[in-house]
Amino acid sequence: MPMTLRILLPVLLAASSMSSAHGLTLHGPVAMSGDRFHHAQVNSSYGCTGGNRSPALHWVRVPTGTRSLALTIFDVDAPTESGWWHWVVYDIPAGTSGFDAGAGAVDNTQLPLGAKQARNDFGQKGYGGACPPKGDKPHRYVITLYALDVATLDAPVGASPAMVGNLLQQHRIAQSSVTATYSR
């Protein structure tokens, strides 16, 4: 191994382990990414009979400079051309470290003061549980936490999930995701 590479390799390895060791990390409703949603996270309508409760979530290592957070749950396998938004919550105060199960209630009472929920693709504000078509392959529900450089997104009242998603991309400092699955 050339001398330069022997000197740089430990530095590069240390830098890569530092970024992963100190990066924003979301812990979700599943033990490992890819595990199945619990019955509590399944919708209670549209032919499904679950609890329709948003999952308990927590996160660590929010980057310095974060002024607010946002969280989304998106079904990438929905039989639409644009996927399916199950939950979009934004303007979460930067000091928040997680949500209890059920925080996605329509009335907003279990979210931190100032947090807002966009309407989901079921047409309501709050969490809408998993409910893929019967017999379809297991759907992947990507739960993503965003650290943002603004205290508020200034999304208009009634903003669509896609509009909020655009604003998230414009103001993202960091993000972390876990994926749950569900089929019926």
Side-chain angles (χ1 to χ4, degrees):
M1 177 181 320
M3 174 77 97
T4 307
L5 190 53
R6 279 196 316 238
I7 294 169
L8 285 178
L9 190 57
V11 172
L12 292 172
L13 288 173
S16 72
S17 67
M18 267 196 313
S19 64
S20 65
H22 299 293
L24 179 64
T25 305
L26 172 65
H27 299 280
V30 292
M32 299 173 53
S33 197
D35 282 353
R36 186 175 163 86
F37 259 144
H38 300 288
H39 185 72
Q41 280 77 59
V42 175
N43 207 306
S44 59
S45 58
Y46 299 94
C48 290
T49 59
N52 203 43
R53 286 176 50 94
S54 58
L57 301 162
H58 69 278
W59 47 86
V60 294
R61 296 191 283 275
V62 174
T64 302
T66 298
R67 298 194 52 216
S68 70
L69 301 160
L71 186 119
T72 63
I73 299 180
F74 183 72
D75 177 355
V76 298
D77 298 308
T80 68
E81 290 189 25
S82 59
W84 193 268
W85 295 96
H86 286 265
W87 196 23
V88 178
V89 58
Y90 60 97
D91 290 353
I92 303 164
T96 306
S97 61
F99 295 148
D100 291 334
V106 176
D107 64 9
N108 241 35
T109 59
Q110 296 184 45
L111 289 173
L113 189 61
K116 298 175 184 80
Q117 298 182 94
R119 65 180 162 76
N120 57 37
D121 281 339
F122 292 107
Q124 63 186 17
K125 289 187 177 185
Y127 175 79
C131 189
K134 230 178 206 176
D136 209 355
K137 67 180 181 180
H139 283 214
R140 294 167 292 159
Y141 299 87
V142 180
I143 305 167
T144 305
L145 176 70
Y146 298 87
L148 305 172
D149 65 0
V150 292
T152 181
L153 281 181
D154 289 329
V157 173
S160 70
M163 178 181 277
V164 173
N166 182 314
L167 293 168
L168 295 177
Q169 295 308 314
Q170 291 177 37
H171 295 288
R172 176 186 60 191
I173 295 171
Q175 72 183 56
S176 179
S177 298
V178 295
T179 301
T181 62
Y182 186 75
S183 62
R184 58 185 187 118

